[in-house]
């Protein structure tokens, strides 16, 4: 190849890379606000992105009352020229996935959840009003029927998410967990009958809550977990941002962890709206 040809080829590549980085910078700047401008590759019909994840930190309330993550700095920039943390993480802390294996002897681990089940329609069932009156409120078949009456049939392979308003309490562990004098927890969840309705009448692949558990706080037996997860479906707990998305029409993108044999794990989740 002649020298001029080589030089022209290099220039073209440099211009191409420059255009790429300009586009990336524009997208990055938009990401500093809660809902970002849609990237060019986003499916038609979606105009923005909503973050549905709580930040993973030792301060986030957990089911067992102990920090869900610890971080140890193994390398620092001043000494080594780069930063690196060693993490110890409870799989079920902050915004996270419950894989089928979590409540079954041989269900799929988190790395075995099909990718096609991680980009799915989002259906938001709002029970915030009754949860404000009763911390033990649950999503019932009547709530699902009301959603269907207002929005139409539940789409194929959807995520059905409970919006109870509990995400706003996440900065106060006592309010979020709701332990009483007898150490019984109090927060909303899915009633077993609603779970059975979803199993029998829909093809939903995921169930999500903005609380610590798919089952409501005082559940003595985790009946919803045992009904839902062993069927190959998965759960999402501690979901955020449900007050920023519509009842129907958004697409949920679940950044599930991919560690082999995992029963779940913290996830970065967002909705395209």
């Amino acid at each position: 190849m002649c020298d001029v040809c080589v030089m022209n080829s290099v220039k073209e590549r440099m211009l191409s890379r420059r255009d790429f980085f300009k586009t990336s910078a524009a997208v990055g700047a938009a990401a500093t606000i809660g809902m970002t401008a849609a990237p060019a590759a986003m499916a038609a019909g979606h105009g923005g992105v909503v973050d549905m994840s709580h930040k993973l930190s030792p301060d986030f309330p957990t089911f067992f009352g102990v920090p869900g993550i610890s971080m140890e700095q193994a390398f620092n920039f001043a000494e080594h020229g780069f930063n690196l943390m060693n993490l110890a993480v409870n799989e079920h802390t902050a915004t996270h996935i419950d894989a089928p294996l979590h409540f079954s002897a041989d269900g799929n681990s988190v790395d075995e959840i099909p990718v096609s089940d991680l980009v799915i329609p989002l259906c938001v069932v709002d029970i915030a009003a009754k949860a404000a009156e009763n911390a033990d409120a649950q999503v019932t078949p009547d709530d699902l029927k009301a959603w269907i009456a207002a929005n139409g049939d539940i789409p194929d392979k959807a995520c059905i998410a409970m919006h109870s308003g509990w995400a706003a309490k996440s900065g106060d562990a006592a309010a979020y967990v709701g332990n009483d004098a007898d150490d019984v927890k109090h927060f909303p969840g899915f009633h077993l009958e609603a779970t059975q309705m979803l199993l029998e009448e829909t093809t939903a692949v995921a169930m999500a809550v903005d609380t610590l558990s798919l089952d409501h706080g005082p559940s003595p037996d985790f009946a919803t977990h045992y009904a839902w997860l062993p069927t190959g479906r998965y759960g999402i707990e501690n979901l955020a941002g449900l007050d920023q998305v519509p009842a129907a029409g958004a697409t949920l993108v679940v950044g599930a962890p991919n560690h082999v044999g995992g029963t779940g794990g913290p996830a970065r989740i967002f909705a395209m709206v």
Side-chain angles (χ1 to χ4, degrees):
M1 182 180 289
C2 66
D3 291 344
V4 174
C5 294
V6 171
M7 292 173 64
N8 287 337
S9 176
V10 170
K11 286 180 181 178
E12 288 175 2
R13 291 184 183 181
M14 290 176 67
L15 288 172
S16 177
R17 286 173 57 83
R18 187 179 302 164
D19 290 342
F20 169 79
F21 285 119
K22 282 182 179 178
T23 303
S24 298
V27 173
T32 60
I33 59 175
M35 182 183 294
T36 70
M42 185 175 290
H46 295 305
V49 180
V50 176
D51 194 343
M52 309 295 288
S53 310
H54 290 285
K55 290 184 178 181
L56 177 58
S57 82
D59 298 324
F60 193 87
T62 62
F63 195 89
F64 297 108
V66 296
I69 182 172
S70 63
M71 299 176 286
E72 177 187 0
Q73 186 152 15
F75 297 90
N76 64 77
F77 192 84
E79 274 187 87
H80 309 103
F82 65 98
N83 292 308
L84 185 149
M85 294 280 192
N86 287 329
L87 307 180
V89 183
N90 181 314
E91 290 178 312
H92 299 272
T93 189
T95 303
H96 68 272
I97 304 295
D98 278 7
L101 183 60
H102 186 38
F103 270 74
S104 60
D106 56 0
N108 280 353
S109 55
V110 70
D111 58 299
E112 295 173 327
I113 296 174
V115 173
S116 59
D117 289 353
L118 299 176
V119 182
I120 49 182
L122 176 62
C123 306
V124 181
V125 180
D126 191 341
I127 66 163
K130 69 178 181 180
E133 299 293 328
N134 176 15
D136 298 333
Q138 298 182 76
V139 175
T140 66
D142 285 343
D143 294 315
L144 297 178
K145 291 173 184 176
W147 189 96
I148 292 169
N151 301 285
D153 291 341
I154 291 173
D156 287 340
K157 302 189 75 171
C159 173
I160 315 303
M162 175 193 77
H163 171 41
S164 70
W166 232 247
K169 301 176 184 284
S170 62
D172 181 346
Y176 195 70
V177 180
N179 280 339
D180 61 20
D182 297 320
D183 204 31
V184 175
K185 295 173 175 57
H186 295 280
F187 50 75
F190 274 85
H191 194 284
L192 177 59
E193 291 179 359
T195 304
Q196 290 170 332
M197 177 178 169
L198 291 172
L199 289 170
E200 294 168 5
E201 300 181 20
T202 78
T203 61
V205 297
M207 171 187 290
V209 294
D210 54 359
T211 60
L212 283 168
S213 175
L214 303 179
D215 289 273
H216 74 325
S219 171
D221 55 9
F222 297 101
T224 289
H225 277 84
Y226 279 114
W228 186 256
L229 296 178
T231 67
R233 296 162 172 84
Y234 67 94
I236 302 171
E237 293 169 337
N238 300 315
L239 197 63
L242 287 166
D243 58 339
Q244 300 176 50
V245 295
T251 297
L252 197 68
V253 180
V254 182
N258 202 30
H259 55 297
V260 175
T263 71
R268 189 68 182 267
I269 299 175
F270 58 91
M272 300 190 299
V273 297

